[in-house]
Amino acid sequence: MTAKIAILAGDFIGPEIIHEAVRVLKCLQKHFGLNVELEHADVGGAAYDKSGNPLPEATLEICKSADSILFGAVGGPQYEALERDLRPEQALLRLRTERELFANLRPATLFPQLTNTSSLKPEVVSGLDIMIVRELTGGIYFGQPRGFRTLENGERESFNTLVYSEHEVRRIAHTAFQVALKRKRKVCSVDKANVLEVSELWRQIMIEVSKEYPEVELSHMYVDNAAMQLVKWPKQFDVIVTDNLFGDILSDTAAMLTGSIGMLPTASLDKNGKGLYEPIHGSAPDISATGVANPLATILSVAMMLRYSLNEAEMATQIEQAVSDVLDLGMRTQDIADGGSYVSTRNIGDAVVNILKSR
Ligand code: IPM
Ligand code: MG
């Protein structure tokens, strides 16, 4: 059966990196028999510019019927003053809700060739392999009520709601334990149970669900401590499971341990394992159109898609190996060049495709 992939390039470097990832997909189609159909659609600021909507109905329809979505990056300074509902980031948030992409897998892994690009000592980060499982469709990002109001004395106030229902915590707990079963079988649940009721229930449910996974070791950590431990000795972690907001913050911290966010993909999955795949970095307006963006995070997002949604683990490994070979050749984009010489977005894409073709 032909799998349908929606391609949403987005803004600034979005189209530049997606272009290289699409070339990788097409190479797999041609040389490895990958059976996919690609459909491009507008998203983010680019879509807003055309139609006044960061997630046009046509795009949403394509995404709803697709097996997977490959997403570039959205946003830019010219959109920051827009009303919240019209901002590019809303496209991503709405896609997460509409497709119920509640499970966000954010690996923080370090290619051995890049150990020196991390700002931490090599012995702290070498061999790093953490998986952050972030709850993505609940918590304070979506809780109601939210908004602004003016008090009787004229003072302005704003508010958001942190709320989690049992089923939301339960399903992300299952995701985390299942991911851990395929790894080192350790789950650390990160919360703020010393202060928040929401975290108290979160912790209880984690403990309940863990009984179904006796092979997996569950531990708990407060989020402030987790932030410290991540930079102190990150290799103590295998799988970290946490809520939407804590996961947003900790996953960027974990990502930076690897030296560059230009290397990291992420998957946002629904209950059937279908999902949205994207690089974790943003649209980088400052380097857009200069040809220096690193396409590897997006190319590795394709690998994640093949592994998690398209049941093509072998092809996923081929891509990951090709990326590693490119690094072995000494080819670097600016972000991972450690001050040394670097090549262009296109050069890296060419190299990955050529290595794949030669297999
Ligand atoms: C992320 C991003 C998004 C988030 C933004 C763009 C809405 O930071 O995917 O981590 O906060 O979830
Ligand atoms: Mg973030």
Side-chain angles (χ1 to χ4, degrees):
M1 213 185 69
T2 310
K4 213 173 112 184
I5 302 178
I7 310 278
L8 274 51
D11 307 320
F12 293 99
I13 65 164
E16 302 168 30
I17 52 178
I18 283 285
H19 184 258
E20 303 310 316
V22 165
R23 287 174 64 215
V24 168
L25 272 168
K26 290 193 168 154
C27 171
L28 293 175
Q29 263 179 323
K30 196 159 164 214
H31 299 279
F32 290 70
L34 176 66
N35 191 2
V36 290
E37 183 189 304
L38 312 182
E39 196 162 355
H40 291 259
D42 294 326
V43 76
Y48 173 80
D49 289 340
K50 275 195 200 166
S51 66
N53 183 351
L55 186 67
E57 278 311 305
T59 300
L60 185 58
E61 283 315 308
I62 289 172
C63 290
K64 278 184 175 169
S65 66
D67 293 287
S68 303
I69 303 163
L70 183 64
F71 194 96
V74 294
Q78 71 269 51
Y79 307 112
E80 275 162 22
L82 287 174
E83 228 175 274
R84 184 167 296 275
D85 280 354
L86 299 175
R87 288 185 208 153
E89 294 79 8
Q90 287 301 316
L92 199 52
L93 295 172
R94 214 174 139 213
L95 274 174
R96 289 172 182 171
T97 322
E98 292 277 346
R99 288 232 21 188
E100 282 194 71
L101 305 172
F102 68 90
N104 185 208
L105 309 188
R106 301 200 164 190
T109 41
L110 181 64
F111 280 89
Q113 299 93 328
L114 299 179
T115 305
N116 288 322
T117 54
S118 174
S119 52
L120 274 77
K121 294 193 191 101
E123 64 266 30
V124 177
V125 292
S126 69
L128 187 76
D129 180 11
I130 300 176
M131 179 68 90
I132 297 198
V133 177
R134 167 187 176 194
E135 199 293 323
L136 201 60
T137 50
I140 203 163
Y141 270 53
F142 296 98
Q144 294 290 347
R146 62 191 293 160
F148 302 92
R149 62 189 162 215
T150 305
L151 301 177
E152 275 171 16
N153 67 4
E155 194 188 7
R156 288 170 302 165
E157 198 174 66
S158 50
F159 52 98
N160 290 90
T161 302
L162 173 57
V163 53
Y164 268 109
S165 60
E166 183 168 354
H167 82 276
E168 290 176 299
V169 182
R170 208 168 272 286
R171 65 185 179 181
I172 197 70
H174 280 288
T175 305
F177 287 111
Q178 277 158 20
V179 167
L181 280 177
K182 297 190 188 141
R183 299 172 46 97
K184 294 185 208 119
R185 304 188 167 200
K186 275 168 45 179
V187 170
C188 178
S189 169
V190 171
D191 63 36
K192 190 72 187 169
N194 50 346
V195 178
L196 303 173
E197 284 79 0
V198 170
S199 286
E200 217 177 296
L201 181 65
W202 175 281
R203 200 177 267 225
Q204 274 169 26
I205 296 171
M206 285 292 154
I207 293 170
E208 284 168 30
V209 175
S210 77
K211 307 230 158 80
E212 296 175 45
Y213 300 87
E215 315 87 328
V216 180
E217 177 195 322
L218 171 68
S219 61
H220 306 273
M221 204 179 269
Y222 297 139
V223 63
D224 47 353
N225 186 25
M228 282 200 301
Q229 296 300 327
L230 265 176
V231 288
K232 185 176 173 207
W233 190 245
K235 285 190 260 184
Q236 67 187 279
F237 296 108
D238 177 26
V239 175
I240 291 177
V241 62
T242 191
D243 81 1
N244 204 343
L245 181 63
F246 297 159
D248 179 47
I249 300 164
L250 292 182
S251 63
D252 272 14
T253 308
M256 245 315 140
L257 302 174
T258 72
S260 174
I261 54 171
M263 293 298 296
L264 295 173
T266 170
S268 306
L269 303 174
D270 69 10
K271 65 177 192 304
N272 302 313
K274 290 184 173 184
L276 181 148
Y277 297 81
E278 58 179 324
I280 67 155
H281 59 72
S283 60
D286 53 325
I287 59 163
S288 160
T290 62
V292 302
N294 186 348
L296 291 176
T298 317
I299 291 172
L300 291 167
S301 301
V302 172
M304 259 192 128
M305 177 190 291
L306 290 164
R307 180 167 287 119
Y308 286 96
S309 290
L310 302 181
N311 210 7
E312 295 284 2
E314 174 53 29
M315 283 189 220
T317 307
Q318 293 281 352
I319 294 181
E320 286 154 359
Q321 188 55 50
V323 168
S324 179
D325 290 355
V326 165
L327 297 175
D328 278 340
L329 291 171
M331 293 180 79
R332 302 281 185 272
T333 39
Q334 190 179 27
D335 55 313
I336 51 172
D338 204 16
S341 63
Y342 53 87
V343 300
S344 70
T345 311
R346 198 55 194 275
N347 291 150
I348 294 275
D350 284 341
V352 174
V353 167
N354 286 333
I355 289 169
L356 283 173
K357 269 200 224 156
S358 71
R359 288 274 159 75

